[in-house]
Amino acid sequence: MGYRDVYAHWKSDPEGFWMEQAQGIDWEKQPTRALNADNAPSYEWFADGLVNTCWNAVDRHVEAGRGDQLAIIHDSPVTHLKKGITYRELQKRVASLAGALRAKGVTRGDRVIIYMPMIPEALEAMLACGRLGAIHSVVFGGFAANELAVRINDCTPKAIIAASCGIEPSRIVHYKPLLDAAIDQASHKPEFCVIFQREQEVAQLIEGRDVAWHSFQYGVEPAECVPVEGNHPAYILYTSGTTGAPKGVIRATGGHLVALNWTMKAIYDMAPGEVFWAASDVGWVVGHSYICYAPLISGCTTIVFEGKPVGTPDAGTFWRVIAENKVKSFFTAPTALRAIKRDDPAGEFVKDYNMKHLKYCFLAGERADPDTIAWAARHLNVPVIDHWWQTETGWAIAANPMGIEALPIKPGSPSVPMPGYDIQVLDEGGHPVAPGTLGAIAVKLPLPPGNLPGLWNAEDRFRKSYLSHFPGFYETGDAGYIDEDGYLYIMARTDDVINVAGHRLSTGAMEEVLASHPDVAECAVIGVADTLKGQSPLGFLCLNKGTSRAHGDVVKECVKLMRDRIGPVADFKRALVIDRLPKTRSGKILRGTMVKIADGTEWKMPATIDDPVILDEITIALKSIGLAG
C-alpha cells in the first residue's frame, strides 16, 4: 500500500486503523475500542486497555530472545567515553532503580521530576517511572533554578532524580546547587532526591533528603511492571507558554505506545535491531519520543549522544557517531546542520567517515531552510527529509513516510499529513482557504493517539490555548499553506514564541525577566533572523525616567539576569535601549512589525498604530547594531 492508500484507509475507518496498530503492542488487557469520544472535545485512546510502557520498551524484547542486542549506546565526546547497554542489562538496571523508588514510597500516579544530562541513567529513570506507573516530568538539565521551581510547584513531585553535573565543551554545569535553590524557592517540597554522582563532580548530599543513586539501590527487591489503563498519564512535559507560565503537556500511556511504535517503521523505515539516532536532548519532546521511547518500543538500538555538533572536538563528530555506530536513520535540528556547515562549508569532514549504513537524515524542530537541506543532501548523499510536529503532538503531523512510500521531496515543505491528522488551513473566521493561500494551520478533532489529551491541572487553559479559537479543531499556532499537490508549508508562528536553535522560547517569559530589572520601565523581546540558530532574541528596553546609569551597564545586567533566570538556552546577548515602544491604540506592542524591520523584509504600516514616528526611531536603533538593512 502506498501513502495515499494508507491515508485513505485511516480516513475511511479511523477506529479500525488504530485498532490494527494496537496489535503491535503487548497489552495486559486488550482495549475494546480505540477512541473514547464520550467527553468531546476531550478525547481518549485505548482507555480501557491495561498496559505498561517499560514492558513494551524493555522486557518484551528480552522475553523474545533479543536480550543480548544493544538497547542503548552512550557516545560521549565530552567525557571521551563510549559504552553499550544490552536489553538484558537495561532490564536489570531499570527493575533495580524502580525497586528502590518503590521502597521509598513511589507508586502509580506519583510524579517524579528528572533533571539530568545526556547519560543512559536519564533513560533508565524515565523507564523506571514507567515500570511503576509513576508519571515523570523531565526538565532540561541545567535549566535555571526558578524555571525548575515553577515545574516543582505545578506537578508536585514525590521525588526528584538528578545528576551531580552536566558537561559542556568548556565547563561543568553544576546541577546540584541549581536543584537545591529550586527546592528552596518552591512551595512544594519533594520527599526525597536521588543524585547520580558523576566522577567529574561529586555533589554534596543533604542528610535526610538526598540519597545516592547506587547506594539507595543496595539490597532492594527489583520491581515488576505495573499495568495501567491506556488513558493513564505516562509523563508531563512542560513547553513554553505565550503567557510565560509553562504548559504541562500530558502524554497518555496507550496512545503513546501505539503511535510511536507505528512511526518507527512507517515514517523512519526502522526494523528491530537497527540503529536509530536522534541528536536531541532528553529534556525536549524529540528526546522523549525518539531517543528514549520509540526506538526501544520498536526494538531498535538508540544512541544517547553527549556532545555538540561542533567543538566536541570538531564539525565531523556527527559523521563519526553515524559511521562508528552504523546508524541507519538520523534525526537532528536544522540548526545543528547550520553550525556544521558554518565550520565546514565544503563538507571536508564527511569524507573522513564511511557512513555506508546511513539511509536517511530527518530534520525537525524549526523550519528547515532549503539551503541547509541542499547542503546536507549534497554531502551525505541520502534523502534529507523535513518533517513537522510539536511538543503537544509527540510525533509527526506531516512527514514523508519512508517506510510506506518515499514521496518526492519539495525543499521547504515537511511533505504531507500523516494518518491521524486531517490538516486544514483556515482564515480568521475558521473557513478553509484555497490551495496556496496562507492561513492558520489547524487539525480537525479528534487528534490521533499519542497527542496531548490535556494540560496538567489546566483543563480550561488547554481548551483556551488550543480548542476555542476554531471550534472542532486543534489550533497548531503555526501559519502556512497547502499547495495543489497536498504538500504543507509552515511559514511562521502565529504568536510570539521564538525558536532559538530548535528550542521554543516564549518572548513573554523573557520580557518578564527584563522587566524585573530595577531600571527597566518597559521592554519587548523579538526573535530576529539568525543564520546559525534560526532566530536570536533581541531585547528593547525603555528605562525609568531619571535613570542616569550607562546604557551598556544596564544591558550587561539584563543579559546576566536572563542567563540566571531562563538559562544559557535563551541565547540572550543583545538589547537596545530606546525611548518608547511602538504600540497599537489598545496598547499591544507591535512585535511582528519590529521583527520585519529588523530582518529587513517588506512591512506595512499597521492600521492600528498609535504613533508612526516610533517605527522610525526603532529603525535607527536597529541600524546601530547592523540590523534593518
Side-chain angles (χ1 to χ4, degrees):
M1 269 175 40
Y3 160 72
R4 297 211 181 279
D5 302 323
V6 174
Y7 192 79
H9 167 39
W10 160 71
K11 214 162 180 186
S12 65
D13 181 15
E15 181 73 15
F17 178 86
W18 288 117
M19 284 302 273
E20 268 167 50
Q21 309 321 322
Q23 297 309 304
I25 292 302
D26 281 12
W27 299 86
E28 181 78 10
K29 172 177 164 269
Q30 290 283 338
T32 61
R33 59 177 176 170
L35 179 68
N36 174 355
D38 297 350
N39 296 317
S42 292
Y43 297 93
E44 292 182 329
W45 291 95
F46 312 111
D48 66 349
L50 284 176
V51 72
N52 181 276
T53 297
C54 187
W55 173 271
N56 278 282
V58 184
D59 300 62
R60 69 168 173 166
H61 306 309
V62 179
E63 297 270 312
R66 298 225 316 284
D68 295 332
Q69 181 200 311
L70 285 177
I72 297 171
I73 296 169
H74 185 220
D75 190 309
S76 171
V78 293
T79 57
H80 311 290
L81 291 174
K82 192 174 157 185
K83 71 167 180 183
I85 298 170
T86 66
Y87 272 102
R88 185 172 286 107
E89 289 165 338
L90 184 60
Q91 183 187 32
K92 279 205 182 86
R93 292 165 69 139
V94 171
S96 168
L97 177 59
L101 291 169
R102 182 178 63 185
K104 287 192 71 68
V106 174
T107 148
R108 174 200 152 108
D110 286 339
R111 275 80 59 215
V112 176
I113 279 183
I114 299 170
Y115 186 64
M116 293 185 109
M118 284 296 288
I119 53 178
E121 288 78 9
L123 277 64
E124 291 167 16
M126 294 163 80
L127 293 163
C129 290
R131 199 170 187 85
L132 299 173
I135 303 165
H136 67 67
S137 186
V138 181
V139 178
F140 182 70
F143 230 22
N146 84 305
E147 291 284 341
L148 181 54
V150 167
R151 288 153 175 77
I152 292 171
N153 285 339
D154 193 69
C155 75
T156 59
K158 184 172 275 187
I160 297 179
I161 303 176
S164 56
C165 66
I167 300 159
E168 293 286 323
S170 55
R171 65 193 178 103
I172 301 266
V173 182
H174 315 288
Y175 284 9
K176 187 61 169 45
L178 292 167
L179 174 64
D180 292 343
I183 294 172
D184 284 348
Q185 285 177 38
S187 51
H188 171 85
K189 310 293 178 193
E191 289 178 21
F192 67 99
C193 298
V194 181
I195 307 298
F196 179 75
Q197 300 279 23
R198 303 192 73 184
E199 59 190 48
Q200 290 76 13
E201 175 171 273
V202 175
Q204 190 89 39
L205 300 190
I206 293 174
E207 193 67 44
R209 185 194 77 190
D210 299 343
V211 294
W213 174 281
H214 291 293
S215 56
F216 105 119
Q217 296 186 43
Y218 289 151
V220 300
E221 193 66 34
E224 295 308 307
C225 295
V226 177
V228 297
E229 291 78 11
N231 59 1
H232 180 77
Y235 69 74
I236 301 163
L237 177 56
Y238 288 92
T239 181
S240 291
T242 44
T243 55
K247 295 187 284 208
V249 167
I250 299 169
R251 195 82 61 214
T253 303
H256 180 236
L257 285 164
V258 172
L260 290 186
N261 189 58
W262 178 81
T263 64
M264 282 304 282
K265 178 68 188 137
I267 298 177
Y268 302 103
D269 192 27
M270 294 297 292
E274 294 178 330
V275 184
F276 187 81
W277 178 27
S280 178
D281 187 283
V282 285
W284 312 116
V285 70
V286 172
H288 282 61
S289 293
Y290 292 104
I291 295 174
C292 184
Y293 288 115
L296 296 178
I297 292 162
S298 61
C300 292
T301 299
T302 188
I303 294 181
V304 174
F305 172 73
E306 190 180 20
K308 299 274 186 235
V310 295
T312 59
D314 54 42
T317 193
F318 272 20
W319 320 137
R320 174 193 65 74
V321 172
I322 290 168
E324 284 180 7
N325 299 302
K326 303 185 169 63
V327 173
K328 177 184 177 181
S329 242
F330 162 60
F331 179 157
T332 188
T335 193
L337 292 185
R338 284 196 288 265
I340 294 167
K341 178 173 135 204
R342 183 165 131 187
D343 273 26
D344 181 22
E348 295 298 332
F349 277 113
V350 180
K351 299 169 190 160
D352 295 346
Y353 299 98
N354 178 356
M355 292 187 276
K356 64 171 189 245
H357 293 90
L358 186 68
K359 294 280 180 287
Y360 311 105
C361 169
F362 286 88
L363 300 177
E366 63 198 298
R367 213 169 152 248
D369 54 292
D371 276 7
T372 301
I373 291 175
W375 182 88
R378 189 163 68 245
H379 293 295
L380 297 177
N381 210 15
V382 297
V384 178
I385 298 149
D386 185 18
H387 60 328
W388 170 63
W389 46 295
Q390 301 178 322
T391 302
E392 290 85 352
T393 69
W395 57 283
I397 306 172
N400 195 331
M402 289 294 126
I404 296 173
E405 177 188 5
L407 300 169
I409 290 171
K410 295 191 183 193
S413 169
S415 300
V416 293
M418 288 298 93
Y421 297 97
D422 178 352
I423 302 179
Q424 306 202 6
V425 182
L426 307 175
D427 64 18
E428 261 309 299
H431 310 293
V433 298
T437 310
L438 194 68
I441 300 167
V443 180
K444 197 167 189 307
L445 296 176
L447 290 170
N451 281 230
L452 82 169
L455 296 174
W456 187 254
N457 286 338
E459 183 58 33
D460 286 351
R461 189 171 178 203
F462 167 63
R463 294 189 180 214
K464 192 163 164 265
S465 298
Y466 302 108
L467 309 180
S468 62
H469 193 160
F470 301 119
F473 289 89
Y474 164 82
E475 183 186 4
T476 67
D478 279 302
Y481 63 91
I482 294 175
D483 73 10
E484 60 290 343
D485 299 326
Y487 278 62
L488 182 68
Y489 290 78
I490 309 294
M491 303 313 290
R493 283 298 292 167
T494 49
D495 59 23
D496 293 307
V497 172
I498 65 170
N499 198 319
V500 180
H503 305 323
R504 279 187 58 201
L505 298 165
S506 161
T507 49
M510 291 194 200
E511 287 167 4
E512 280 175 24
V513 172
L514 297 181
S516 71
H517 187 286
D519 295 313
V520 173
E522 198 178 22
C523 61
V525 174
I526 61 168
V528 296
D530 180 302
T531 50
L532 184 62
K533 297 197 170 184
Q535 281 181 304
S536 151
L538 171 64
F540 293 86
L541 311 172
C542 302
L543 302 187
N544 288 319
K545 292 226 168 25
T547 303
S548 55
R549 302 189 51 214
H551 290 176
D553 292 352
V554 176
V555 169
K556 258 197 209 106
E557 287 162 13
C558 283
V559 168
K560 182 181 183 309
L561 209 51
M562 195 75 81
R563 191 182 177 87
D564 291 348
R565 300 266 191 89
I566 294 195
V569 68
D571 194 43
F572 185 87
K573 299 192 178 78
R574 296 185 295 180
L576 289 166
V577 175
I578 54 168
D579 285 335
R580 52 210 183 130
L581 290 165
K583 293 180 182 178
T584 64
R585 292 188 194 96
S586 63
K588 285 196 178 68
I589 298 169
L590 293 160
R591 292 184 190 81
T593 309
M594 292 160 79
V595 171
K596 285 183 176 149
I597 295 172
D599 292 346
T601 55
E602 202 174 289
W603 59 278
K604 285 206 290 280
M605 183 65 70
T608 53
I609 192 165
D610 193 24
D611 182 352
V613 178
I614 302 178
L615 292 176
D616 299 338
E617 298 166 11
I618 295 289
T619 306
I620 293 162
L622 287 164
K623 284 189 166 152
S624 74
I625 55 165
L627 294 169

